[in-house]
Amino acid sequence: MNLDCPDWVLAEISTLAKISSVKMKLLCAQVLKDLLGEGIDYEKVGKLTADAKFESGDIKASVAVLSFIFSSAAKHDVDSESLSSELQQLGLPKEHTTGLCKSYEDKHVALREKLRETSLRLGRLDSVSWRVDYILSSSELREVNQPVIQLKLQRQGAESGAPETTVVSVSADKFRVLLAELKQAQVLMNSLQ
Amino acid sequence: MLLVLSEEHKEHLSFLPQVDAAVVGEFGRIALEFLRRGASPKVYEGAARKLCVPVEMVQHGVEGLMFLMTESSKHMISEVDFLDSVLVLGFSEELNQMLLQLYLQHHSQIRSILSHLPSSVPAYHNLEWRLDVQLARRSARQQFIPMLTMRVHLTRSDGHSDFNSRILQTDPSTLLHLISTLEAALAAMKTGHARRILRNIK
């Protein structure tokens, strides 16, 4: 992994070794569920660690160290064998390491996808809705007879992250320019895929 | 160090010897809850009804007790000084001992609550970053501009648990300069001058 292992990880690996390797695999499954955004069931975790008489501090530490191992491994796209040898060098027993690496392999792709989704993006566009109106007349001119487009853009605010809505009305000519430019950008994006 | 209690404070606390010891203990508990969560008028009314005294007396008694505890904790008063300070109130020995016990049990908690009170500048909490490369824009194609975008999460200055965030963007050379400045700041802690000061504070 070419990374220095933080001291707290080294310390907590020995805590992990206290539970049986079967329970370890189930604990890994819970931690992976949490990392994938499905939430963690602390009651189940409590039951898994009850035999080894973990206190609440130990439980939190084990969850934290497994989270760190999985997310760092996925972040740097480490393969299963390197992870396994690294963990054994740090002192995790062989059966625990095997269980952990198997869980990692199973969920490796899903984890990377999730990490990709949660990467920093500013002002993510959520949805676009549009409407075409035909202006018949106005207070300035009796016969206008022109189409106009209303665009509603819903996005996440860049600074706040809260949903924001922008409404724009665009005349037909301007809209043609907008469309042409966006199509050029799309060609560029497709060429990079 | 002795606490000097104002006349008004002594008057408020003079309510305490009129009730029995269990009630004083209860008042102590209410005073600490007040510190943690703020006053609750219902509790005062309930106590006043049970003791058949006006609500203000209960309220002043509890507030006086709380003020005594916070002032003592603030100045880290020793046991002897605490007892001497409450001696001036003319309470019974038993009551003095109760107050002392209350103080000893809770003074570290009170100090930690008090330390959270003053508002602080926003502090660093977390950093998210992203490295991208701008390849083209509407007016210029075939570009290559690397940029680092960061979102810094800061704790709010009034101590609330939600976070402010600031968006920052920088190019690689500014980033390197930023890193070297921060490393120099960290290294400043290890100079002889800083070490001498730290040794003297400890």
Side-chain angles (χ1 to χ4, degrees), chain A residues 79-133:
Chain A
D79 61 290
S80 199
E81 290 90 47
S82 317
L83 183 63
S84 166
S85 66
E86 185 85 23
L87 288 173
Q88 286 191 56
Q89 272 181 26
L90 294 172
L92 191 63
K94 185 137 196 336
E95 307 83 51
H96 294 66
T97 310
T98 323
L100 197 155
C101 290
K102 182 80 182 27
S103 309
Y104 173 67
E105 263 183 56
D106 291 340
K107 294 284 180 178
H108 165 229
V109 175
L111 205 54
R112 277 181 71 78
E113 231 354 88
K114 179 77 185 169
L115 289 175
R116 184 168 297 148
E117 274 173 45
T118 47
S119 293
L120 179 62
R121 269 179 63 184
L122 300 172
R124 206 183 283 233
L125 184 65
D126 283 330
S127 70
V128 181
S129 24
W130 57 267
R131 187 177 89 190
V132 177
D133 292 334

Side-chain angles (χ1 to χ4, degrees), chain A residues 118-122 157-161 177 181 184 188 192, chain B residues 128-130 135-138 141 149-151 165-167 169:
Chain A
T118 47
S119 293
L120 179 62
R121 269 179 63 184
L122 300 172
E159 292 266 333
S160 60
V177 174
E181 301 286 347
Q184 288 181 16
L188 263 170
L192 290 168
Chain B
E128 292 175 74
W129 59 266
R130 182 179 91 195
L135 294 172
R137 31 192 322 170
R138 179 174 177 272
R141 309 294 157 88
T149 312
M150 292 179 278
R151 177 183 264 152
S165 63
R166 302 255 189 284
I167 313 261
Q169 211 173 44

Side-chain angles (χ1 to χ4, degrees), chain A residues 17-32:
Chain A
K18 286 191 207 156
I19 59 173
S20 74
S21 58
V22 173
K23 296 226 167 79
M24 165 82 160
K25 188 127 194 292
L26 293 169
L27 189 60
C28 288
Q30 282 294 321
V31 172
L32 280 167

